Amino acid sequence: MNRYRIAPGTSVDLRTIDPRDKSAFSDLSKSKALPVLETMRRELSALQRVLWADAQQSLLVVIQAMDTGGKDGTIRKVLSGVNPQGVDVVGFGVPSEEELRHDYLWRVHRHAPAHGRIGVFNRSHYEDVLVVAVNNLVPEEQWSKRYGHIRDFERLLVDEGTTIVKIMLHISKDEQRDRLQARLADPSKNYKFNPGDLKVREQWDAYMDAYGTAITETSTETSPWFVVPADRKWYLNLVVAVILIEALTGLGLEYPVNEQNLDGFIVT
Ligand code: ADP
């Protein structure tokens, strides 16, 4: 999925990236995508079993998006089939009072995945340079130093055995309007509607800028960002599945060899 990987040093402007692109699976459509996703899920599940058995490395998947971008659905659809015992999904909301009395990475680091596990961050420490920067929740001189902290923090995780992929689900403003309207119109989606999302929508341009800067500043060789076109959910799911499969395949995982001589054992 190199086409969506942001090479280090690239200056990212999300406005130039098409949320409706489907060039990686141009011969597919919604109805044909499901069996393909199913095959990918099986592959992902097989890879996760070796990651778990090997227990030497971990995978951290950071997922960010504007509201209605499809974070929850992607996590559900791509990771269903993977052994739930080996996956930790953590959502990061508005920090608690206790969390605000610490540095912003304090609450994040403890959720970094243990060896053998896949950790999924549904929102993440990137909120501390997104919502925080857009609204100046702390002074600029404070949040502007965070890109450097984040690069260092992620390098620490990588050096200690974690592979990181960061995924921005990129939807268009028009698509968000349709999805928010659907939340209002459909009683089974009403619960997801939050009036606060409308305020964030008004800040769309500021968020695009903040995302662009954050991705530009923190997409590195070992901790890359992927900006994934997200207006079509079936497409997004396939692309995210491939990103995870490629990340796990890249680890060169193998089942550990049992050092005991197993010949002598008889199961009665
Ligand atoms: P989601 O929208 O991801 O489904 P919530 O409805 O719980 O989940 O929203 C989480 C909210 O928490 C978002 O509005 C997000 O901007 C906010 N949030 C997350 N991290 C921070 C942070 N560090 N500082 C301030 N707000 C944050």
Side-chain angles (χ1 to χ4, degrees):
M1 276 302 152
N2 271 340
R3 74 184 67 210
Y4 299 130
R5 184 186 176 118
I6 305 298
T10 310
S11 177
V12 177
D13 180 355
L14 289 178
R15 294 171 189 84
T16 64
I17 302 178
D18 179 9
R20 298 192 66 78
D21 176 54
K22 59 173 200 129
S23 57
F25 297 99
S26 49
D27 52 335
L28 289 185
S29 57
K30 187 176 180 181
S31 57
K32 291 189 195 145
L34 203 55
V36 181
L37 182 62
E38 192 47 48
T39 307
M40 290 178 183
R41 280 180 188 142
R42 275 199 289 274
E43 199 175 336
L44 206 48
S45 173
L47 285 162
Q48 186 256 350
R49 281 171 62 100
V50 198
L51 179 79
W52 169 265
D54 176 58
Q56 302 290 317
Q57 304 182 67
S58 51
L59 176 66
L60 172 61
V61 184
V62 171
I63 303 191
Q64 287 285 158
M66 295 296 284
D67 294 315
T68 77
K71 293 183 282 98
D72 296 3
T74 307
I75 294 167
R76 192 173 64 243
K77 297 225 173 76
V78 174
L79 290 170
S80 74
V82 171
N83 180 359
Q85 281 204 88
V87 182
D88 305 296
V89 181
V90 191
F92 290 96
V94 177
S96 68
E97 272 184 37
E98 187 190 21
E99 286 167 349
L100 285 173
R101 288 201 298 271
H102 293 81
D103 71 84
Y104 65 98
L105 290 173
W106 179 77
R107 67 171 181 164
V108 177
H109 198 167
R110 60 192 286 263
H111 291 293
H115 294 164
R117 308 187 67 84
I118 297 176
V120 181
F121 285 180
N122 182 344
R123 300 190 191 265
S124 64
H125 44 297
Y126 282 94
E127 292 292 327
D128 292 286
V129 287
L130 293 168
V131 62
V132 170
V134 168
N135 297 291
N136 275 313
L137 299 182
V138 301
E140 178 169 356
E141 67 201 44
Q142 190 176 345
W143 62 252
S144 61
K145 292 183 187 145
R146 292 180 173 177
Y147 307 109
H149 305 153
I150 290 173
R151 284 193 298 268
D152 290 344
F153 168 60
E154 293 177 355
R155 201 177 60 241
L156 159 76
L157 298 183
V158 169
D159 287 349
E160 295 290 322
T162 299
T163 292
I164 304 180
V165 291
K166 301 177 291 196
I167 298 174
M168 197 262 168
L169 311 181
H170 178 43
I171 54 164
S172 63
K173 199 175 177 190
D174 285 348
E175 180 67 22
Q176 190 195 53
R177 183 194 53 233
D178 294 349
R179 293 186 189 179
L180 286 171
Q181 274 170 353
R183 287 182 177 182
L184 285 169
D186 180 346
S188 75
K189 292 182 178 168
N190 280 173
Y191 78 97
K192 292 197 225 174
F193 185 80
N194 173 0
D197 294 349
L198 297 180
K199 184 194 150 216
V200 178
R201 179 173 166 77
E202 282 169 17
Q203 299 173 307
W204 185 275
D205 285 336
Y207 272 97
M208 291 302 105
D209 289 340
Y211 266 107
T213 306
I215 293 170
T216 300
E217 290 282 342
T218 62
S219 200
T220 65
E221 205 57 60
T222 52
S223 183
W225 272 104
F226 295 80
V227 176
V228 179
D231 273 9
R232 293 183 176 89
K233 289 181 181 169
W234 66 264
Y235 184 75
L236 153 73
N237 291 334
L238 293 182
V239 171
V240 172
V242 174
I243 291 171
L244 302 195
I245 288 169
E246 287 181 353
L248 286 171
T249 306
L251 300 185
L253 295 163
E254 289 189 25
Y255 280 108
V257 176
N258 195 321
E259 301 294 347
Q260 302 171 77
N261 179 1
L262 301 181
D263 294 343
F265 290 94
I266 299 168
V267 182
T268 56

